[in-house]
Amino acid sequence: MQAKETGDGFIILKLDDGEDLMECLRKAIKDFGIGSAFVTMGIGMLKHAEIGYFSGKGYEKKLLEEPHEMISLQGSISTMGETVIHLHAGLANRNHQIFGGHLFSAKACVLNEILIKKVDVRLGRKPNPETGLKELFLD
Amino acid sequence: MQAKETGDGFIILKLDDGEDLMECLRKAIKDFGIGSAFVTMGIGMLKHAEIGYFSGKGYEKKLLEEPHEMISLQGSISTMGETVIHLHAGLANRNHQIFGGHLFSAKACVLNEILIKKVDVRLGRKPNPETGLKELFLD
Amino acid sequence: MQAKETGDGFIILKLDDGEDLMECLRKAIKDFGIGSAFVTMGIGMLKHAEIGYFSGKGYEKKLLEEPHEMISLQGSISTMGETVIHLHAGLANRNHQIFGGHLFSAKACVLNEILIKKVDVRLGRKPNPETGLKELFLD
């Protein structure tokens, strides 16, 4: 992975084939001292991508083993208490059909280009007892 | 809804289950004095989402009653003359297949995380007599 | 096309029906002296859109002649050595189903609203002999 920060709080990541997306994001969080941020863009390809649909009680997951074109990547990063990376992705298969949802894990395929924006509003996570999810809150 | 503004003109929204997306955006426009802005990111889930395809003469609409994972949300906000919120969304169903288009209305399901960027270029809307649409213009 | 730059390095484009997306982006690169940038948002409709899936050896392409709603547009712009515009798009057909991938070319249909962010990290392209792709690098 290559990573650089702009003068106005954007962090650019370029991942290489086979790198773990979540590990790379955690490395960037550490290296650039990210407290709170949003993932505003991500393109390239992903493989071994585990996506999920939240049924209200839990996630119904699907593993997309084959490489997919990453059409979009959007999400949030919060580090208060524990680090949570909340990502949603749209992924196109060989027939150009798109699947997607909550993105649990994936490996970069060929390459990834990702843009993150640091924000000075503190983001945290608070458990919602009804859903079991750790919901975003703005501190 | 929780909402906060960063020092550099980003507004972060966290919507709770059942809240109306358009009403929340209109409240944010009022509370943060948004003149012109772009919706750069939105994740979470939507229900009762009405999406549309523009045929050239009008919108062909479809109501997605069931909760869908919101893969991406992108759009523009203009307030000159009248307030127009122009949103496009990609929405994944329980089988992880994505549907989308122009987003007319929706309710947040479980939660929504949305990122808006204020811009200092004035955005307005001007009717195009050929299509009947109020098109964006940069003042 | 109408185009304006904000005080903090965002460039807003409004394309009219029939305009060539890549030509308009190249005009904006020239007019606003864009060195390195990211396409963070794009909505509206596209026609004659050529999308691709990278098989590892080359792109498998598909031409979407009919107008499609542009659900999302994300990408990068680098100009060191040569100008490369790397875009991925999600496109919904009349049945609201989304197709997408690498976007080679397209014409705006009805209109396009696009948001670009200039960055002060220099982006270049370097050939990867294994894939034949010109990969992003951060200078």
Side-chain angles (χ1 to χ4, degrees):
Chain A
M1 176 173 71
Q2 253 201 305
K4 293 216 175 184
E5 184 168 0
T6 70
D8 54 356
F10 285 87
I11 294 157
I12 304 161
L13 307 183
K14 191 267 184 175
L15 276 62
D16 293 311
D17 186 72
E19 288 192 295
D20 185 274
L21 176 60
M22 290 300 179
E23 278 177 22
C24 286
L25 288 171
R26 285 179 182 273
K27 184 172 178 349
I29 289 167
K30 198 177 153 196
D31 291 352
F32 294 95
I34 296 175
S36 301
F38 286 90
V39 176
T40 65
M41 193 223 68
I43 61 172
M45 295 183 87
L46 293 181
K47 55 190 171 188
H48 310 301
E50 190 174 42
I51 58 173
Y53 173 90
F54 188 70
S55 70
K57 294 182 178 172
Y59 277 100
E60 296 170 3
K61 297 181 179 181
K62 186 176 185 175
L63 186 62
L64 303 175
E65 279 285 1
E66 294 299 306
H68 282 65
E69 294 280 348
M70 178 161 56
I71 304 312
S72 73
L73 184 70
Q74 298 191 342
S76 62
I77 294 171
S78 54
T79 64
M80 280 177 61
E82 64 170 325
T83 295
V84 174
I85 301 168
H86 183 196
L87 295 177
H88 281 206
L91 300 167
N93 68 13
R94 201 159 189 163
N95 297 319
H96 313 288
Q97 288 180 298
I98 306 190
F99 297 84
H102 181 103
L103 184 66
F104 287 97
S105 59
K107 288 194 187 306
C109 181
V110 185
L111 61 86
N112 282 183
E113 302 174 7
I114 294 171
L115 186 67
I116 295 167
K117 176 68 180 84
K118 279 183 175 177
V119 293
D120 58 9
V121 169
R122 292 191 350 142
L123 305 178
R125 292 277 160 185
K126 196 157 53 178
N128 179 332
E130 274 185 46
T131 59
L133 294 176
K134 290 173 190 162
E135 293 196 0
L136 186 76
F137 76 90
L138 316 181
D139 190 37
Chain B
M1 177 174 70
Q2 255 201 304
K4 293 217 173 181
E5 184 169 0
T6 70
D8 54 356
F10 285 88
I11 294 157
I12 304 161
L13 307 182
K14 192 268 184 175
L15 276 62
D16 293 311
D17 186 72
E19 288 192 295
D20 185 274
L21 176 61
M22 291 301 180
E23 278 176 23
C24 287
L25 288 171
R26 285 179 181 274
K27 184 172 179 345
I29 290 166
K30 199 178 152 195
D31 291 352
F32 295 96
I34 296 175
S36 300
F38 286 89
V39 177
T40 64
M41 194 222 68
I43 62 172
M45 295 183 87
L46 294 180
K47 55 190 171 188
H48 308 301
E50 190 173 43
I51 58 174
Y53 173 90
F54 188 70
S55 71
K57 294 182 178 171
Y59 278 99
E60 297 170 2
K61 297 181 180 182
K62 186 176 186 176
L63 186 63
L64 302 175
E65 280 284 2
E66 294 299 307
H68 281 66
E69 294 280 349
M70 178 161 56
I71 304 311
S72 73
L73 184 70
Q74 298 191 343
S76 61
I77 294 171
S78 55
T79 64
M80 282 176 61
E82 65 170 324
T83 295
V84 173
I85 301 169
H86 183 197
L87 295 178
H88 281 206
L91 300 167
N93 68 13
R94 202 158 188 162
N95 298 319
H96 314 288
Q97 287 181 298
I98 307 189
F99 297 84
H102 181 104
L103 183 66
F104 286 97
S105 59
K107 288 195 188 304
C109 181
V110 185
L111 61 85
N112 281 182
E113 303 174 7
I114 294 171
L115 186 67
I116 295 168
K117 177 67 181 83
K118 280 183 175 176
V119 293
D120 58 8
V121 169
R122 294 195 343 144
L123 305 178
R125 293 276 161 186
K126 196 157 53 177
N128 178 333
E130 274 185 48
T131 61
L133 295 176
K134 290 172 188 160
E135 294 196 358
L136 186 76
F137 75 90
L138 316 180
D139 189 37
Chain C
M1 177 174 71
Q2 254 200 303
K4 293 217 174 182
E5 184 168 358
T6 69
D8 54 357
F10 284 87
I11 294 157
I12 304 162
L13 307 182
K14 192 267 184 174
L15 275 61
D16 293 311
D17 186 72
E19 288 191 295
D20 185 274
L21 176 60
M22 291 300 180
E23 277 176 23
C24 286
L25 288 172
R26 286 179 180 275
K27 185 173 179 347
I29 290 167
K30 199 178 153 195
D31 291 352
F32 294 96
I34 296 175
S36 300
F38 286 89
V39 176
T40 65
M41 194 221 67
I43 61 172
M45 295 184 86
L46 294 181
K47 56 190 171 188
H48 309 302
E50 191 174 41
I51 58 175
Y53 173 90
F54 188 70
S55 70
K57 294 183 177 170
Y59 278 100
E60 296 170 3
K61 296 181 180 182
K62 186 176 186 176
L63 185 63
L64 302 175
E65 279 285 1
E66 294 300 306
H68 282 65
E69 294 279 349
M70 178 161 55
I71 305 311
S72 73
L73 185 68
Q74 299 191 342
S76 61
I77 293 172
S78 54
T79 64
M80 281 176 62
E82 65 171 324
T83 295
V84 174
I85 301 169
H86 182 197
L87 295 178
H88 281 207
L91 301 167
N93 68 14
R94 202 158 187 163
N95 297 320
H96 313 288
Q97 287 180 299
I98 306 189
F99 297 83
H102 181 103
L103 183 66
F104 287 97
S105 59
K107 288 194 187 307
C109 181
V110 185
L111 61 85
N112 282 182
E113 303 174 6
I114 294 170
L115 186 67
I116 294 168
K117 176 69 181 82
K118 279 183 176 178
V119 292
D120 59 8
V121 169
R122 291 187 355 140
L123 305 178
R125 293 277 161 186
K126 196 157 53 177
N128 177 333
E130 274 185 47
T131 60
L133 295 176
K134 290 172 188 162
E135 295 196 359
L136 186 76
F137 75 91
L138 316 181
D139 189 36

